[in-house]
Each structure stands twice: as structure tokens, then as C-alpha cells.
Amino acid sequence: MTTTTADLLARRAAHVAPSLSIHYQGNPIHVARGAGQYLYGVDGTRYLDCINNVALVGHSHPRVVSAVARQMAQINTNTRFLYEPLVDYAEALTSLLPAPLDVCYFVNSGSEANELALRLARAHTRRRGVLVLDHAYHGNTTSLVDISPYKFNGPGGEGRQSHVQIAPAPDTYRGPHRGTDAAQRYADDVQAALLRGDATGKPVGLFIAEPILGCAGQVEPPPGYLAAAFNHARAAGAVVAADEVQVGFGRVGTHMWGFELHGVTPDIVTMGKPIGNGFPLGAVVTTSEIAASFNNGMEYFNTFGGNPVACAAGLAVLDVLAEERLAEHVVAVSEHLVNGFRHLATKHEVIGDIRGRGLFLGVDLVTNRDSSEPATELATHLVGALREQGLLVSTEGPGHNVLKLKPPLPFTESDADELLEAIDRALVQ
Ligand code: PMP
């Protein structure tokens, strides 16, 4: 029996939690399958997918699919048994990280990874306070909503808790500091927030940040900022964590990890989304020193974390990244796409800023280049117009005016041209 899209929507509304949203409300995409950088609707429509960063090496990549199927047919159990994929994957993952990041924890999502980062930092520093950047999102658990200004200051949020401090997002396009000394001034803001400490005046134990800020509007910190901010945090006795859930695993092209763009080495790295190409998997990698502090007698057990099937998915993703030389591909296609947007910006005043790295880009739409007033309505209109042409993009940022591009990495130059031409046409109208 085939279910119509309208039927399916009604059935979903009846029994699936209403706090879940849906893309293109009123006209959702009823997906049948995905391949590479494309999604296919049940009616056969092909969509160029610029929003699913989870499908890093391409939707339903055959290599990942067969690795998962093979392992599932063989054995799937938990880390209290000994099996190769866990150790193979821990070796493979740590070989991609700089020293002293050499101890892995495996979990099932980005939220579980960040939740564990909170516990590691707390065990190591014996402090509860956390410093985050404004508009950040770090996950869906109670503790993570409390450190996510995007949520606690957003609709339904309950505001900032006293153990949390916020420093401004280091936005050199629209934020308070924009000149050549912006990195220094934003780092000074971090220092000021560190001095405020938690509610009791105790210094914070953890500074966590994304190397390129997603929810703040694809904001790329200015050179030198993260190094100075990390120095301040460490000098105050905190540990520093890079949330690589969005930008890790080669998405930035030139590097495997976003933090490498800034020449820093965090104490904790958290990973999720693309790590298993859609198979639920997350990871935390830290130093043996922090791992030793956490090894205090209380076992860390996670029923599904590190299961052989998830590890097989993770291993297959790393193999595909290397074999298909996706990092080099990302650098080339990104340059082509960014140049295309720069050209569009010469024709369309509404394009105020083009930023990001690799295939993690933001195109900031403004009503006026002098005031950089967010062109929210136009951005919403553009997302709808592009969808009608089979191109999936979304918006990001506090003003919901930044076109967010984070397609599966196989995205090609001809896909980029298709997208650029459609945006050109839509902006002319
Ligand atoms: N950190 C960042 C930066 C994220 O973008 C997200 C998810 N959007 C998370 C953590 C949480 O990951 P998950 O949804 O897998 O729990």
C-alpha cells in the first residue's frame, strides 16, 4: 500500500511528538532514497542536497552500507566483550589527531559526546562552571541546553544558568569588534567572561567552542582568536574543548579538524554527525591525563557506544575519505563555489558576506550593505524558491538570514554551478 504524502503527514502529526519540526513545512520532502549528494522524493524528483552534512561521503555510500550490513550479520554487542572493530577504530581515529589526544570514548551522538566532555572537564578540574560562545548549540540534553545560548535564550528557553558564562561570538562581519584588532578584542571578552566565573565566583572548568560557529551564522573566528582564547582559558585553570560535531572529518577541506585551522590543540575533541555517515556514532578524544582523572572508580558504560557495527561504519567512512581523496576534492570545489558567490556578490547587493571553509559555508544576505541589516524575509523566500527547483539549502544565524551550505562532500563543480545559477535567477526576480 502506498502512503500519500498528505496521509503520512497526518499520521505523523497524530503520534509523533509535536516538538519535532519538518523542513519546508506544508510542503515537506517525502524522501524515498539518497545517493551521493542527491535525495530522491517518492515522486522521483531529484534534489541536490546542500543541507545534510551527516551524509559526509554521500548518502547511502555502498562502502559504508556493506560494512554495516556485514558487521551486523556477524556480531553486534557491547564494549564489555573484546572485538577488533573497536580497537581498529580507536587506532585509526587517534592517528588522525595530534598528540596528546590519544584516548577515545565512543558514544551515540554529538549530544552524548558533549555531555561526556562536561563530565571529563568536571572530573579533571573539579569545577562545574562552563564558558560558551554566544548563539552556540552543543546538544539536546538538560545539561547541554543549559550551555547552549541558542536554546536557553531562544523560544521556550529558561535563560542562562548561574554556572554558565557567555562570551560574544567572534563575528567580524556583524559583531561588536570588526577591525584588525578584532581577534584580540574578542579574546579579551573571553578573558572577562572567565574572570566572572560561576555563580560562586569560582573559575569555570571548561571552555567549549566550535572552530567555525554554526548556529551563530557560519561564523569563522578571526586568525589568532582561538589560540588567544584557549590560552586565557588554560591560564584560568580550565580545560578547552573543540566541538567538531559539525565541522570535523574533512569538511573544511584543508584540514581534518576545524581546530587545525587555528593552529591550536584542544584538551578534548567531540565528534558526531558525519562520523558514521548517518549510522549513529559519536566520539570524544582526550588526553591520557584527563582520562586518568575521569577513571575515578565509577565505570563509564554506554550500552551502544562503541558497538562493532558503529565502529565498522566509522572505519568505512575514514577509508572512503582517504580512498576517494575527498579532502582535495573539497578544496577545489569550495574554491569554485566561493568564487562563484563572489561573482554573484558583484551583481547582487543583497550578498553582504561570504564566509566559512571547505564545504561549510555561509552567505550572509542583507537589506543594506552599510548597515548589514539581516535580509530575513529574502532568505526565507530564496530557500523556498530553490526548493521548487530541487535545490535544498537552509538558513542559519540569529537573523535567520545566512544561507548555510554543508552538502555531502561528493558535491561537484557542476552542482555548484547549478546552485549559483539558480540563486542568480532567484535574486534577479
Ligand atoms: N554540537 C553541535 C555543534 C551540533 O551542531 C549538534 C547538532 N546539531 C550537536 C552538538 C548535537 O548533536 P546530536 O544532534 O547528534 O546530539
Side-chain angles (χ1 to χ4, degrees):
M1 189 189 90
T2 43
T3 309
T4 66
T5 300
D7 269 356
L8 191 59
L9 256 184
R11 286 168 51 204
R12 173 170 155 143
H15 294 294
V16 178
S19 46
L20 294 176
S21 71
I22 196 160
H23 287 304
Y24 310 104
Q25 215 185 3
N27 190 15
I29 295 180
H30 186 169
V31 279
R33 65 190 184 90
Q37 61 277 41
Y38 304 110
L39 289 176
Y40 298 86
V42 287
D43 60 358
T45 306
R46 189 205 80 166
Y47 298 94
L48 173 62
D49 178 3
C50 303
I51 57 182
N52 278 279
N53 55 341
V54 170
L56 184 79
V57 297
H59 285 283
S60 303
H61 193 291
R63 183 72 183 272
V64 182
V65 171
S66 65
V68 164
R70 211 179 321 115
Q71 187 61 51
M72 190 71 186
Q74 206 173 323
I75 177 67
N76 197 22
T77 182
N78 67 63
T79 48
R80 287 187 180 140
F81 292 91
L82 186 63
Y83 44 83
E84 278 86 356
L86 175 75
V87 182
D88 291 347
Y89 189 50
E91 285 174 354
L93 195 57
T94 50
S95 77
L96 298 170
L97 285 151
L101 293 165
D102 57 6
V103 181
C104 300
Y105 299 83
F106 294 112
V107 296
N108 304 293
S109 66
S111 294
E112 281 195 11
N114 283 334
E115 186 70 36
L116 180 55
L118 290 180
R119 290 186 60 193
L120 291 173
R122 199 182 286 189
H124 191 67
T125 64
R126 298 182 181 279
R127 300 175 184 175
R128 289 175 54 97
V130 180
L131 173 62
V132 293
L133 298 179
D134 205 3
H135 309 295
Y137 176 64
H138 293 296
N140 60 33
T141 65
T142 307
S143 309
L144 294 173
V145 167
D146 286 349
I147 66 155
S148 297
Y150 172 75
K151 289 287 184 196
F152 68 66
N153 281 337
E158 292 178 351
R160 184 176 66 83
Q161 305 275 314
S162 56
H163 67 291
V164 178
Q165 287 296 342
I166 308 175
D171 177 353
T172 53
Y173 180 65
R174 191 177 280 107
H177 314 312
R178 302 183 195 175
T180 49
D181 61 348
Q184 181 59 49
R185 293 172 66 185
Y186 279 120
D188 290 346
D189 291 339
V190 166
Q191 174 75 320
L194 286 161
L195 290 174
R196 287 196 295 273
D198 70 8
T200 64
K202 204 172 171 184
V204 305
L206 173 68
F207 171 45
I208 182 167
E210 286 182 277
I212 302 178
L213 289 65
C215 290
Q218 308 290 91
V219 168
E220 200 186 339
Y225 165 75
L226 212 57
F230 276 17
N231 283 343
H232 288 321
R234 283 176 168 143
V239 295
V240 295
D243 180 335
E244 294 275 347
V245 168
Q246 291 262 2
V247 298
F249 292 95
R251 175 158 294 281
V252 299
T254 51
H255 298 84
M256 192 67 170
W257 310 109
F259 66 77
E260 293 173 300
L261 296 169
H262 305 279
V264 296
T265 303
D267 304 307
I268 300 172
V269 179
T270 60
M271 306 166 189
K273 289 192 187 281
I275 183 173
N277 210 53
F279 194 90
L281 174 60
V284 180
V285 184
T286 189
T287 65
S288 39
E289 209 185 324
I290 292 176
S293 300
F294 189 60
N295 190 24
N296 60 4
M298 183 191 287
E299 183 189 7
Y300 181 74
F301 180 65
N302 188 320
T303 300
F304 296 129
N307 72 72
V309 178
C311 292
L315 278 163
V317 168
L318 296 184
D319 286 346
V320 174
L321 277 176
E323 280 164 22
E324 297 186 6
R325 303 164 82 96
L326 285 171
E328 285 163 54
H329 169 75
V330 168
V331 171
V333 76
S334 173
E335 192 181 337
H336 183 82
L337 183 56
V338 169
N339 284 341
F341 274 115
R342 290 214 177 102
H343 175 68
L344 284 190
T346 63
K347 294 169 68 179
H348 303 288
E349 284 279 311
V350 290
I351 298 181
D353 191 31
I354 300 149
R355 54 180 181 255
R357 292 288 190 99
L359 286 176
F360 194 72
L361 300 172
V363 178
D364 199 314
L365 302 176
V366 295
T367 55
N368 176 318
R369 281 193 184 169
D370 294 327
S371 65
S372 54
E373 185 71 31
T376 309
E377 256 175 60
L378 174 74
T380 308
H381 166 78
L382 193 57
V383 167
L386 292 174
R387 183 244 193 263
E388 294 308 317
Q389 296 172 61
L391 302 162
L392 310 184
V393 301
S394 60
T395 57
E396 194 58 279
H400 307 287
N401 65 311
V402 181
L403 290 185
K404 172 172 67 171
L405 302 168
K406 42 178 195 172
L409 303 190
F411 185 86
T412 63
E413 292 190 4
S414 98
D415 294 326
D417 291 340
E418 190 181 336
L419 179 67
L420 290 161
E421 282 158 26
I423 292 177
D424 191 19
R425 281 195 305 271
L427 291 180
V428 167
Q429 283 159 11

